[in-house]
Amino acid sequence: MFWYQILFLALIQGLTEFLPISSSAHLILPAQVLNWPDQGLAFDVAVHVGTLIAVVTYFYRDLIQVVSGWFASLSGKGSSDQSKLGWYLIIGTIPAGLAGLIFNDFIEENLRSVEVIAYATIGFGILLWLSDKFGSQRKSEYQLTWRTSLMIGIAQAIALIPGTSRSGITMTAARAFGFNREASARFSFLLSIPLITLAGGYKLIQLLTTDVYVEWGALVSGVILSALSAYFCIYFFLKWLNTIGFTPFLIYRLILGGVLLALVYAG
């Protein structure tokens, strides 16, 4: 890849992984719309590592408390809000993990078209806006139950469809179950950690078992740029979410989906 492609794709991965606008859609589109070469498996691993570094760094205090509380509950020291949150993150990860193993090949072969991305971008954007408009602002992430965690996890599995947005669909489900905006976003971001780890690990195994040329300069650049852009994205998103809501993201998704459909039917 050229340097500007590395810069663009790494920044886009970092920004869109946590905004409700679909990172997979934005990474697929340059290859299909701009005629860029596919970024390749190694670069996919690099930008996944970058976004993982960003979210773990941002929430490291929360993660230490959750992990220590979870291990304390295993050792019979009783449950706490933190230990329960740890269990809910595990429960929420299971559906997407299973769906990825079962449906990954089918999705890769049948659902990575510009038309699918366009309709998913529009449709799930409208669902996000509706759940935010009519959802309550009562619950925090510590009021989760195993049932709501499972349902949010099932919603996360739908994000395997390109254009859906993993963060968008999980926040949609959380808002629909009455969680406030900040709690919905925080749980969505924490829920991304095991899933990004699983997805990155799966891609890494593929990479190690494939004879692929690795351009280390591009990989290091991808890690650094995606990590920085993802970290600042999380920071500003949480800071401004209660003020701006999800309407700007709906507008963006409608415009993007409309442009993509125009490209499809014009071609």
Side-chain angles (χ1 to χ4, degrees), residues 87-143:
W87 284 112
Y88 297 151
L89 289 171
I90 293 172
I91 291 170
T93 301
I94 292 171
L98 291 176
L101 289 173
I102 297 169
F103 298 111
N104 183 69
D105 291 342
F106 174 82
I107 291 169
E108 288 285 333
E109 294 170 6
N110 298 281
L111 298 180
R112 292 175 69 88
S113 69
V114 176
E115 189 171 8
V116 169
I117 292 170
Y119 283 117
T121 297
I122 294 171
F124 288 107
I126 293 171
L127 280 180
L128 173 62
W129 181 80
L130 288 173
S131 69
D132 183 59
K133 182 175 178 61
F134 297 107
S136 72
Q137 290 280 357
R138 298 191 312 272
K139 299 179 183 177
S140 75
E141 64 264 39
Y142 296 109
Q143 293 175 279

Side-chain angles (χ1 to χ4, degrees), residues 8-71:
F8 179 81
L9 292 173
L11 290 176
I12 285 296
Q13 168 67 27
L15 291 172
T16 59
E17 179 65 42
F18 300 107
L19 293 179
I21 54 177
S22 179
S23 62
S24 58
H26 286 78
L27 288 176
I28 291 170
L29 290 175
Q32 298 206 20
V33 176
L34 300 177
N35 244 356
W36 285 6
D38 186 271
Q39 62 267 21
L41 185 58
F43 193 76
D44 273 352
V45 172
V47 293
H48 273 83
V49 169
T51 53
L52 181 62
I53 290 171
V55 69
V56 168
T57 302
Y58 189 89
F59 289 106
Y60 79 94
R61 291 188 182 90
D62 303 76
L63 289 171
I64 290 172
Q65 293 177 351
V66 168
V67 171
S68 60
W70 185 76
F71 276 111

Side-chain angles (χ1 to χ4, degrees), residues 69-78 87:
W70 185 76
F71 276 111
S73 70
L74 284 181
S75 61
K77 295 181 180 178
W87 284 112

Side-chain angles (χ1 to χ4, degrees), residues 190-250:
L190 290 171
L191 196 58
S192 74
I193 294 172
L195 196 66
I196 294 174
T197 302
L198 289 172
Y202 177 74
K203 288 178 180 291
L204 180 60
I205 292 171
Q206 287 183 304
L207 179 63
L208 294 175
T209 55
T210 306
D211 187 18
V212 177
Y213 169 73
V214 175
E215 189 179 348
W216 290 106
L219 298 196
V220 173
S221 300
V223 170
I224 295 172
L225 290 170
S226 61
L228 289 174
S229 58
Y231 185 91
F232 286 110
C233 174
I234 295 169
Y235 173 81
F236 287 110
F237 183 79
L238 290 174
K239 183 178 181 180
W240 293 337
L241 180 57
N242 283 328
T243 302
I244 65 174
F246 290 103
T247 300
F249 302 105
L250 168 67

